[in-house]
Amino acid sequence: MNMNPFKSKKYAISKIYRARPQEIVRPIRDIPEDEKPNVPQGIMTKCPSCGNMIYTKSLCTNYNQCNECGYNFKLSTYERIAIITDKGEFEEFDKSLSTEDPLSFPGYRDKLENTKSKTGMQDGVVTGKGKIDGCPVMLAVMEPAFFMGSMGTVIGEKLTRLFEQATKEGLPVIVFTASGGARMQEGIFSLMQMAKVSAAIAKHSQAGLLYVTVLTDPTTGGVTASFAMLGDIILAEPGALIGFAGPRVIEQTIGQKLPEGFQRSEFLMEHGFVDHIVSRDQLKSTLGMILKLHANTGI
Amino acid sequence: MEITPWEKVKLARMSLRPTGLDYIDRIFDNFLELHGDRYYGDDHAIVGGIASFGDLPVTVIAQQKGRNTKENIMRNFSMPHPEGYRKALRLMKQAEKFHRPIICLIDTPGAFCGIGAEERGQGEAIATNLSEMMLLKTPIISVVISEGGSGGALALGVADRVYMLEHAIYAILSPEGFASILYKDSSKAERAAKEMKLTAQDLQEYGIIDGIIEEPQGGAHNDHDQAASNIKAMLEKELKELINLPIETLLEQRYQKFRGI
């Protein structure tokens, strides 16, 4: 006979707990084909964060955000530009610029062709000039679906040209980052793009011009260690993964699980590396306000 | 006999190879180490300070591997934290103030990946160095002495002249990391080393670096003095040229050097 009341209690609980899977059997209903509810593919979308079922059409009108938990579904580059810029006010630069495969890396060209036809883009960033709430601005948006938004020579070159043009015209620059890091297949050339873009940003900054970055999910690696972190103002979408090393690499290096929320936007703001977290529906008005505040140089 | 890229990787990582401090002792006089980033702490993976190079006062910054396991643990295997990069930048700004040329010795597998490094902004620290180094109004020479790994190496590599020792490597990340990302198998590092084009010879051909410093027969570990004197000879030649350039020309050339890649 066990006299310890806690022990016997624990035993009782664990018995109930263990009994559950065997005793509760859910009847499986066989629904005939014609009685199944007719829901066409794609009409509803499940939120991967909270599990909420969302009417896909309402998702589109809500900036691809979950209406329950605010989870940000991926936005394609052109969707993003449409949401951010004033209607009909975006002129794209260097649209056809494509990589020359500097290392002649085995298999890279085939994979590129495949990705190009899938995404309809020549590489992972769209750059151009547009207007936000009437303010002219140079804009770059990275495409996470293109080689995971990795930065190679084309992204480096397009961004450098954008900053150089902005410096020439005296315009602010806004960059939406999304990147898994450097483009492996372009090796050392990818690495050097970090220096190249940072150099162009330094000159733009020296000219007293405004640079705003908006960090979206995910922003990691060489992009974090260069232009993502160089904004005068750094905004982030809620819950975006932002870091230098990816969480998997860190876990492998230090051999322990990472804490909840590690490397998310909120974590970065807490540690002083993000100025403000802005939800998608507020982005355009926030950016517009920032641009207006910098349009006339105070004194 | 031709040395394969993978053999170069192994040579570059050899524990007998001279480290940053070994070269500093042999190349400079009166080296005084200056510690700390003034914000958080002192990172032992990066050493920096003032010294004289002949008659010329200079600022020297080196990523420092340990010469044995105990030292390596203290040096975190030459994988800097953000405070290391911030210390380096502090010393570089100081060099600019006092019109001293800057010499950086690069030797790191990469910037450290860890919780503290992320909390203290590894990405921001590297990014800031990249953009600030571009504007520093004083000559900068960087030498990859053994391993130049990723952004962690580049953060000391935005320079007017970038040299590599003959058997040094410089790449976007380690061949093991590269293999695990692209081939999903880190044991294919040998193949990765070949395809990544990470040798000094490859990088010179691509115009990424300005020159190669010859090593003693068999590698720098065979004759530390000779290896150091080869670096010294390069520094003498390049510094003479760089300190005579007008600052505007120097900065424009530095910009164009990276702009063209």
Side-chain angles (χ1 to χ4, degrees):
Chain A
M1 174 81 194
N2 194 339
M3 293 305 289
N4 185 336
F6 295 105
K7 251 197 176 156
S8 61
K9 200 172 174 189
K10 191 176 169 194
Y11 175 70
I13 290 170
S14 67
K15 193 176 175 191
I16 295 167
Y17 189 72
R18 262 190 283 125
R20 265 175 89 184
Q22 290 129 30
E23 286 163 20
I24 304 170
V25 181
R26 291 199 181 84
I28 299 164
R29 267 180 62 203
D30 241 337
I31 310 170
E33 265 312 304
D34 53 348
E35 275 182 37
K36 271 189 183 169
N38 181 21
V39 183
Q41 200 70 37
I43 205 160
M44 299 297 279
T45 305
K46 190 176 176 183
C47 173
S49 175
C50 68
N52 178 36
M53 293 302 285
I54 313 158
Y55 185 42
T56 307
K57 262 191 185 162
S58 79
L59 190 64
C60 295
T61 52
N62 192 29
Y63 306 94
N64 273 10
Q65 298 173 115
C66 172
N67 49 14
E68 280 293 321
C69 70
Y71 174 84
N72 287 309
F73 286 83
K74 291 262 180 291
L75 267 182
S76 79
T77 305
Y78 289 104
E79 282 172 327
R80 171 78 72 185
I81 291 168
I83 288 173
I84 290 300
T85 55
D86 298 348
K87 210 169 175 202
E89 291 284 356
F90 184 76
E91 174 204 346
E92 187 173 347
F93 299 156
D94 306 308
K95 192 173 179 172
S96 57
L97 202 66
S98 172
T99 177
E100 286 164 7
D101 184 13
L103 298 185
S104 305
F105 196 85
Y108 183 36
R109 277 175 190 272
D110 290 344
K111 209 171 165 199
L112 259 175
E113 286 315 313
N114 207 342
T115 310
K116 282 182 189 176
S117 64
K118 241 188 250 168
T119 57
M121 293 173 70
Q122 292 297 303
D123 213 295
V125 72
V126 172
T127 57
K129 187 176 169 179
K131 274 187 184 164
I132 298 175
D133 286 348
C135 299
V137 64
M138 296 292 187
L139 182 68
V141 182
M142 297 180 78
E143 174 54 64
F146 199 99
F147 274 80
M148 292 168 66
S150 63
M151 170 169 62
T153 48
V154 173
I155 293 184
E157 182 64 25
K158 281 173 92 166
L159 288 175
T160 305
R161 287 185 192 179
L162 188 78
F163 275 98
E164 286 178 340
Q165 192 60 30
T167 309
K168 211 186 268 174
E169 294 187 31
L171 286 180
V173 178
I174 297 175
V175 176
F176 283 79
T177 62
S179 178
R183 182 82 48 89
M184 290 297 134
Q185 293 88 341
E186 296 185 22
I188 193 81
F189 286 91
S190 300
L191 186 69
M192 293 300 150
Q193 301 311 309
M194 291 165 63
K196 181 163 104 179
V197 178
S198 302
I201 294 171
K203 284 207 160 186
H204 182 257
S205 180
Q206 223 178 11
L209 298 166
L210 172 72
Y211 170 37
V212 180
T213 52
V214 185
L215 314 180
T216 73
D217 188 58
T219 295
T220 59
V223 169
T224 301
S226 59
F227 56 88
M229 284 293 160
L230 291 175
D232 295 299
I233 295 177
I234 301 178
L235 306 178
E237 284 199 337
L241 176 76
I242 303 159
F244 173 63
R248 212 159 31 100
V249 177
I250 299 174
E251 277 184 351
Q252 279 169 8
T253 310
I254 62 172
Q256 62 187 77
K257 276 256 164 250
L258 296 170
E260 181 78 24
F262 182 69
Q263 292 184 314
R264 297 288 162 184
S265 307
E266 297 74 15
F267 173 93
L268 267 95
M269 190 160 82
E270 192 57 38
H271 284 90
F273 292 98
V274 161
D275 284 298
H276 209 89
I277 295 173
V278 188
S279 65
R280 258 178 210 167
D281 47 309
Q282 299 295 319
L283 255 179
K284 184 176 180 179
S285 58
T286 306
L287 288 170
M289 186 187 72
I290 291 173
L291 289 176
K292 280 196 187 100
L293 281 170
H294 289 81
N296 303 309
T297 39
I299 36 170
Chain B
M1 206 186 79
E2 184 89 4
I3 303 174
T4 67
W6 182 239
E7 282 164 346
K8 292 230 180 209
V9 172
K10 288 196 278 190
L11 254 175
R13 290 175 179 170
M14 209 176 199
S15 62
L16 295 171
R17 222 173 141 78
T19 64
L21 282 173
D22 293 322
Y23 287 123
I24 290 175
D25 287 346
R26 286 168 175 80
I27 297 172
F28 306 99
D29 298 314
N30 310 316
F31 176 65
L32 176 69
E33 189 174 351
L34 303 175
H35 293 271
D37 69 343
R38 298 288 190 273
Y39 298 111
Y40 180 81
D42 187 37
D43 186 346
H44 301 300
I46 293 185
V47 297
I50 46 178
S52 45
F53 181 71
D55 295 333
L56 188 69
V58 293
T59 287
V60 192
I61 295 161
Q63 287 164 331
Q64 181 63 28
K65 281 187 184 163
R67 300 176 181 97
N68 51 50
T69 310
K70 196 176 157 208
E71 253 187 58
N72 252 327
I73 289 167
M74 191 263 278
R75 301 284 180 195
N76 199 29
F77 296 84
S78 195
M79 294 185 283
H81 279 78
E83 50 272 22
Y85 294 111
R86 294 188 182 121
K87 168 169 73 177
L89 186 61
R90 175 175 81 85
L91 297 181
M92 289 194 261
K93 293 235 170 194
Q94 190 187 67
E96 179 185 43
K97 176 177 174 187
F98 297 107
H99 309 287
R100 284 194 292 263
I102 300 163
I103 289 121
C104 296
L105 303 177
I106 296 171
D107 185 10
T108 179
F112 188 64
C113 305
I115 293 179
E118 294 292 324
E119 284 174 340
R120 301 197 288 279
Q122 190 72 285
E124 190 273 345
I126 295 173
T128 303
N129 278 22
L130 299 183
S131 74
E132 294 278 336
M133 284 179 83
M134 191 54 72
L135 303 177
L136 281 178
K137 295 189 186 79
T138 192
I140 311 172
I141 300 178
S142 293
V143 186
V144 184
I145 54 172
S146 291
E147 252 186 301
S150 87
L154 186 64
L156 296 184
V158 180
D160 300 299
R161 296 284 186 272
V162 181
Y163 275 79
M164 283 175 78
L165 282 186
E166 190 183 343
H167 302 310
I169 57 169
Y170 192 6
I172 191 142
L173 84 171
S174 70
E176 290 83 358
F178 190 91
S180 101
I181 290 178
L182 270 195
Y183 320 131
K184 312 285 173 222
D185 182 357
S186 63
S187 66
K188 290 187 177 141
E190 188 170 349
R191 175 179 153 198
K194 186 164 154 261
E195 289 174 355
M196 289 168 81
K197 308 274 164 54
L198 44 64
T199 66
Q201 293 69 25
D202 282 327
L203 299 197
Q204 189 179 35
E205 205 171 298
Y206 289 136
I208 304 276
I209 58 167
D210 297 286
I212 298 175
I213 300 164
E214 212 178 294
E215 291 189 27
Q217 187 71 29
H221 57 285
N222 285 335
D223 189 345
H224 292 199
D225 291 339
Q226 184 60 47
S229 97
N230 292 353
I231 297 177
K232 196 172 176 178
M234 178 280 291
L235 290 176
E236 267 162 9
K237 177 179 147 264
E238 293 290 2
L239 278 176
K240 201 189 272 175
E241 198 183 315
L242 292 175
I243 53 180
N244 286 318
L245 281 178
I247 288 296
E248 291 71 34
T249 316
L250 185 80
L251 291 182
E252 184 55 25
Q253 284 180 3
R254 192 185 301 160
Y255 184 79
Q256 291 305 336
K257 176 179 165 60
F258 288 90
R259 178 66 188 89
I261 299 173

